[in-house]
Amino acid sequence: MKNKLCMLIAAVFATVMLTACGEDPELVQFRKNVDDFCNKISEIDNGMNNIDAQADGAVAEFLGYLDELDLLFQSFANLDFPEEFDYLEATADEASQYMTTAVESYHEAYSNGSYNEYTADYAYGNYSRAYKRIQIIISFLHGETPDDVNIITDEES
């Protein structure tokens, strides 16, 4: 998770640096929304990494952070992407769907006071897919095309 945190912080920094004077207000607001999203992810990630796993309420605290993360991803998916980034909206929707599935699965993995490793592994896989899509979106927002994705942009079609 720390690697994801570093990438998101770098993305926030780069997004702020790319915001220019006289730019389209819609694009400026969108970049602010992306910055806010990345900052909130960073805060949640920090909180999750600081959970005392031996504490009585550790599972509830972990699940609470995941619930926050799910709401955050849903809000991100509901953003109105500027026209030049419309092609990324479906990827944001996928990220949100994967995060929702991950959070639901983590809740199931820890239900009834037990732990189901298989369900937790499934949850982590969905969690990773959600973050991968966010990394892809951020790469495209920075004008980069990741090598490991198969997304066609309007310019390429």
Side-chain angles (χ1 to χ4, degrees), residues 11-148:
V12 169
F13 227 13
T15 302
V16 170
M17 298 303 291
L18 292 173
T19 304
C21 294
E23 196 167 32
D24 177 11
E26 178 186 11
L27 187 57
V28 171
Q29 182 59 48
F30 177 71
R31 287 188 173 144
K32 181 189 177 313
N33 290 338
V34 171
D35 287 346
D36 291 346
F37 172 74
C38 292
N39 285 331
K40 289 176 186 171
I41 284 178
S42 176
E43 291 171 13
I44 292 170
D45 187 60
N46 188 40
M48 288 170 59
N49 287 325
N50 287 318
I51 294 173
D52 177 4
Q54 304 305 317
D56 288 338
V59 170
E61 187 176 2
F62 174 67
L63 294 174
Y65 281 123
L66 287 172
D67 290 339
E68 285 181 54
L69 202 54
D70 188 23
L71 291 173
L72 185 59
F73 271 65
Q74 289 173 21
S75 294
F76 184 72
N78 288 327
L79 284 178
D80 185 22
F81 283 54
E83 187 176 321
E84 61 264 38
F85 298 117
D86 272 348
Y87 65 95
L88 295 172
E89 284 193 39
T91 307
D93 292 341
E94 288 177 4
S96 177
Q97 291 165 356
Y98 278 121
M99 185 56 70
T100 296
T101 300
V103 172
E104 290 170 352
S105 297
Y106 274 121
H107 276 276
E108 185 179 328
Y110 288 100
S111 66
N112 301 324
S114 64
Y115 175 74
N116 183 314
E117 185 176 351
Y118 174 77
T119 305
D121 288 344
Y122 176 73
Y124 181 73
N126 283 288
Y127 179 88
S128 296
R129 285 186 278 285
Y131 268 99
K132 178 64 178 175
R133 277 149 181 81
I134 295 302
Q135 291 169 347
I136 290 167
I137 290 169
I138 290 171
S139 293
F140 277 111
L141 292 176
H142 291 142
E144 303 165 2
T145 303
D147 294 330
D148 58 347

